[in-house]
Amino acid sequence: MSVLIFVELDEGKLKKSSQEAIFYGAKVAEMTGTTATAITVGQADETELATAGRFGATKVLHAGDAKLNEPNGMAYATVVAAAAQQEGSTIVVLAKSSLADAMTARLAGKLKAGLAANVIELPNLSNGFVVKSSIYTGKAFAYNELKAPVKILAIKKNTITPEETDATATVQSFAPALNDSDFVISVKSTEKATGDVLLPEADLVVSAGRGLKGPENWGVVEDLAHALHAATACSKPVSDLDWRPHHEHVGQTGIKVSPNLYIACGISGAIQHLAGVNSSKVIVVINKDADAPFFKSADYGIVGDVFEVLPRLTAAVKAL
Amino acid sequence: MKILVCVTSVPDTTTKITFTDNNTKLNKAGVTFITGPYDDYALARAVELKEQAGGTVTVLNVGGADAEPVIRKCLAIGADDAVRVNAEPTDAYFVAEQIAAVAKDASYDLILMGRESIDYNGGQVHGIVAEMLGLPSISPVMVLNIDGDTAKITREIEGGKEEIEAKLPLVLGCQEPIAEWKIPNMRGIMTARTKPLKVVEPVANDQLTAVNHYELPAPRGAVKMIPADEAEKLIQLLHTEAKVI
Ligand SMILES: Cc1cc2nc3c(=O)[nH]c(=O)nc-3n(C[C@H](O)[C@H](O)[C@H](O)COP(=O)(O)OP(=O)(O)OC[C@H]3O[C@@H](n4cnc5c(N)ncnc54)[C@H](O)[C@@H]3O)c2cc1C
C-alpha cells in the first residue's frame, strides 16, 4: 500500500507542478499511514529522479522503455495502472497538465476510480474521503466525496506550496508489459516553444488583450515578461485573430492559470476571461478605460495607456 | 462516416454561479443552459465532415428532459438524430458509462466531444469512454481532417502543438479552432422539430463520487489604484507589500 504519484519532467527536470503533486501525495500518505511512491515514464536521469525525495517520495519507479519517450497518454495509463497494482495503491495523485489529463482519463477508466479534478486542498478524512476542488472554471468549489475503492486526485497547479527537505528517493526501474494497442497513434511532429517560461507552470504571468491593437505591439508585453521572468498569455480574441498562439489563450475556453501574479494589460475582463484567471493570488489590471470591468476583480490597478505604462514598469523591474 | 457527438448542457458562460438548499444544489433560477462551448466545436466539425464526406451525425446527451432545448439546437445545427439518456449526470464515470452503452454496438467511426465540460472541468469523459470501448483517444484536438480511414490531427500540448495520425475509429476531445461555431438558421430550426430524439434509460451504475456541498470563493478585497504617472510604485508594492516579485 502506498500513495502513487505520477510525475512529469520538463527538459530533464521535475516539473514544478509535479513537485507540488509529490508533496501533496506524501502528505496524503502520512494521513493514511503509508508511504509515497512516484512513477515517471520515458527518458529520465536517475539523479534528478532521486530529488523526488526532497518533496516526500521515498521511492521512484522509472519506466524507461524507449517506446515511452514519446508522450502517450494511453501507454502512460497502462504503466501507471501496472505501478498501482504493484504498489497496492488505492490513491493516485498527479498534477493537471495536457499530458496528465490524457493519461488520467484512461487511468480512471482502467481502475474504475473515483476522480476529483482541480483539487486545491488536502483531503478531509474525518467522514469518508472528501476533497475540495475548483469547478465552474474557478467560479465555485465542490466538496467531493470519493466513494470508489480507488481514488485519483488531479491537483490544480500552484495551490499547494511544497516544503523541501534534503532527503533522496531510491530509484527503481520498472518494466511493465506494454499493450501494442496503446501505440497505434503516431506523433508525426512536435512544435514547442523552448526557453520561454511555460504558461501553465508559471508563477508570474503578463497577459494582454485586444487593447494591444496588433501582434506587432507585443514587444512591450514581452519586455515586461522577460524582466519579471514571467510567461506571456492573451485573451481569446487575440488568439482567434492569430496575433498570439493558441496555447497562450487563457480563460473559460482556454488555459486556466493560478499564478502568484497575473498582470492584465488592455483586457476588458469579460466573465469568460476572468473564469480562467480568477484563482491568481494577485491580479494587476492596466486599462485606459477606468470603467473596465476587470478593475472590480483586481488587487492593483492603473488607469492608463499600456504603451506608456508597460515600458515604465519594465524599467522599474530592472531597477529592483 | 458515422459520427457520434456527445454534448453537455451547462450554464451559459456569463452565469454568476450560486447555490441553494444549504449549498447542495446549483441555483438554476434565471440560468440559461447552453451546449458546452467545447462540445459546440465538436458538433460544428462533425457537421462539416458530414457535409464533405456524407454519413450521419448523432447527438447524445446524458441528462433530464430539461436538456432537450439544447439537444434540439444541436439538431438545428445539422445533426441528424439524437439520443438522450434519461438521467441526471452524477460524475464523469457515470456519463462515460452511459455513452459507452449507447456506442457499444453502433460502430461509430468517430466519437467527438468537448475536451472538458465547463461545469465540472474534469476533462475525463472521452478517455473513460475510449477505455470502455477499447478505442484510442486523443485530446485536446485543434485540427481534425479525415483522409480515408486515417485521421490527421493537431493536438495542443503545453507551449505548442503536435501533429498526429491515427486510424479510425477514434474518441476525440475537441477544442477551438477545430471549426467555426455554427448558429442554427430558420430552416435548421424548423427541420430540427421533426428529427428523431430517442430517450433511453440509463444502465446501472455504482456511484463512485458524490458532491457533498458547494462553496463560493471569498470576494477579493478592494482594488488599490495607482496613478499612471507613478506606475513605478506598482512594482514597489508588488515587491514589498504583495511580495510576489
Ligand atoms: C462561450 C465563450 C467563451 C469565451 N471564452 C473566453 C476565454 O476563454 N478567454 C477570453 O479571454 N475570452 C473568452 N471569451 C470572450 C470574452 O467574452 C471577451 O470577448 C474577451 O475576453 C475580450 O477580450 P479583450 O479584453 O482582449 O478585448 P476587448 O473586450 O476588446 O477589450 C480590450 C480592452 O483593452 C482596453 N484598451 C484598448 N486600448 C488600450 C490601451 N492603449 N491601453 C490600455 N488599455 C487599452 C479597452 O479599454 C478594453 O477594455 C469567450 C466568449 C464566449 C461567448
Side-chain angles (χ1 to χ4, degrees):
Chain A
M1 235 300 272
S2 104
V3 171
L4 188 67
I5 304 130
F6 174 67
V7 166
E8 289 180 64
L9 295 108
D10 183 43
E11 294 177 2
K13 298 275 169 219
L14 284 186
K15 275 174 100 170
K16 180 173 155 274
S17 54
S18 287
Q19 297 173 356
E20 294 165 5
I22 298 168
F23 181 72
Y24 184 102
K27 285 278 169 212
V28 176
E30 229 175 272
M31 292 166 79
T32 53
T34 177
T35 54
T37 300
I39 166 90
T40 194
V41 184
Q43 197 170 16
D45 171 61
E46 289 213 354
T47 323
E48 174 65 19
L49 292 183
T51 65
R54 301 211 321 245
F55 307 97
T58 46
K59 181 165 77 176
V60 182
L61 299 176
H62 176 210
D65 190 318
K67 274 172 97 175
L68 297 167
N69 283 347
E70 204 169 75
N72 175 339
M74 292 165 64
Y76 287 17
T78 298
V79 173
V80 176
Q85 196 184 15
Q86 176 182 301
E87 296 296 304
S89 305
T90 54
I91 301 174
V92 181
V93 173
L94 48 99
K96 267 189 76 73
S97 76
S98 157
L99 173 62
D101 285 355
M103 193 283 291
T104 318
R106 306 283 311 198
L107 188 68
K110 280 186 202 299
L111 302 179
K112 198 173 179 188
L115 176 131
N118 293 305
V119 169
I120 57 170
E121 277 178 6
L122 284 168
N124 181 340
L125 307 181
S126 59
N127 189 10
F129 191 108
V130 178
V131 276
K132 182 177 179 180
S133 70
S134 162
I135 56 167
Y136 290 106
T137 328
K139 291 194 268 189
F141 303 114
Y143 287 85
N144 313 276
E145 186 178 351
L146 303 188
K147 299 179 168 202
V150 182
K151 300 162 184 33
I152 303 180
L153 308 175
I155 314 299
K156 186 169 168 150
K157 286 172 190 175
N158 228 6
T159 50
I160 309 293
T161 311
E163 293 151 23
E164 279 183 65
T165 65
D166 49 15
T168 51
T170 54
V171 182
Q172 289 177 7
S173 69
F174 181 60
L178 298 171
N179 301 333
D180 287 344
S181 59
D182 289 337
F183 295 91
V184 293
I185 288 171
S186 56
V187 176
K188 296 290 166 196
S189 65
T190 303
E191 220 179 273
K192 195 170 169 189
T194 50
D196 292 335
V197 183
L198 269 185
L199 175 60
E201 295 283 304
D203 279 333
L204 311 175
V205 175
V206 182
S207 185
R210 208 144 50 176
L212 266 286
K213 311 278 189 299
E216 67 283 3
N217 296 328
W218 238 258
V220 285
V221 179
E222 282 164 339
D223 288 349
L224 178 59
H226 285 155
L228 284 168
H229 198 61
T232 51
C234 68
S235 66
K236 176 171 151 64
V238 162
S239 77
D240 286 351
L241 290 162
D242 269 338
W243 293 359
R244 300 296 292 177
H246 192 273
H247 63 256
E248 286 196 2
H249 149 208
V250 291
Q252 177 116 42
T253 49
I255 311 241
K256 285 92 193 160
V257 293
S258 41
N260 291 333
L261 173 64
Y262 183 78
I263 305 183
C265 315
I267 302 179
S268 56
I271 193 164
Q272 295 95 348
H273 183 85
L274 281 175
V277 306
N278 53 8
S279 47
S280 308
K281 297 208 171 85
V282 173
I283 294 180
V284 172
V285 169
I286 302 154
N287 197 304
K288 68 176 183 192
D289 173 9
D291 295 325
F294 220 149
F295 285 117
K296 292 203 181 73
S297 315
D299 300 288
Y300 297 95
I302 296 180
V303 176
D305 187 323
V306 284
F307 298 107
E308 284 158 25
V309 172
L310 292 189
R312 295 180 62 165
L313 296 182
T314 306
V317 171
K318 287 182 178 159
L320 265 187
Chain B
M1 185 149 39
K2 217 173 140 187
I3 308 176
L4 180 69
V5 183
C6 310
V7 301
T8 50
S9 165
V10 290
D12 168 37
T13 55
T14 57
T15 306
K16 265 211 153 121
I17 300 295
T18 56
F19 300 101
T20 58
D21 291 23
N22 229 351
N23 283 331
T24 57
K25 286 201 178 71
L26 175 72
N27 180 6
K28 293 187 178 179
V31 175
T32 309
F33 281 79
I34 58 165
T35 318
Y38 296 114
D39 309 336
D40 255 326
Y41 286 110
L43 175 66
R45 187 65 190 133
V47 170
E48 286 173 2
L49 289 172
K50 183 186 90 165
E51 281 162 2
Q52 285 162 18
T56 57
V57 175
T58 299
V59 195
L60 168 61
N61 169 260
V62 180
D66 55 355
E68 289 199 359
V70 164
I71 301 175
R72 286 279 171 213
K73 192 184 146 208
C74 296
L75 292 169
I77 283 170
D80 300 286
D81 60 349
V83 179
R84 177 170 69 81
V85 179
N86 187 28
E88 281 306 322
T90 48
D91 63 13
Y93 198 91
F94 173 77
V95 173
E97 212 164 27
Q98 306 312 321
I99 296 171
V102 171
K104 192 166 45 114
D105 302 316
S107 37
Y108 290 104
D109 300 298
L110 281 172
I111 300 178
L112 304 184
M113 58 189 92
R115 76 163 210 224
E116 67 179 32
S117 67
I118 62 159
D119 47 10
Y120 287 87
N121 308 110
Q124 304 304 312
V125 175
H126 42 79
I128 303 176
V129 167
E131 192 64 38
M132 286 172 173
L133 297 174
L135 296 177
S137 56
I138 304 170
S139 177
V141 174
M142 305 165 75
V143 177
L144 166 64
N145 289 307
I146 306 290
D147 183 1
D149 65 348
T150 304
K152 297 189 172 172
I153 285 168
T154 306
R155 184 178 97 93
E156 184 165 284
I157 54 170
E158 274 155 28
K161 52 191 182 182
E162 241 171 32
E163 306 294 332
I164 295 177
E165 273 187 25
K167 294 262 182 254
L168 303 179
L170 293 169
V171 182
L172 307 179
C174 305
Q175 69 169 37
E176 61 177 12
I178 194 166
E180 288 282 338
W181 274 11
K182 295 197 180 342
I183 298 160
N185 58 27
M186 210 43 191
R187 195 169 156 267
I189 294 167
M190 298 307 286
T191 52
R193 292 193 189 144
T194 58
K195 288 182 179 173
L197 193 170
K198 190 164 89 183
V199 179
V200 300
E201 291 307 314
V203 292
N205 158 279
D206 311 319
Q207 201 181 356
L208 304 185
T209 72
V211 175
N212 286 351
H213 67 281
Y214 300 96
E215 193 178 274
L216 292 173
R220 267 178 203 274
V223 55
K224 196 176 250 186
M225 297 304 291
I226 294 139
D229 56 4
E230 293 171 28
E232 295 74 10
K233 227 174 115 185
L234 170 69
I235 300 302
Q236 285 306 328
L237 287 170
L238 292 175
H239 187 56
T240 55
E241 187 181 77
K243 296 192 168 56
V244 286
I245 60 174

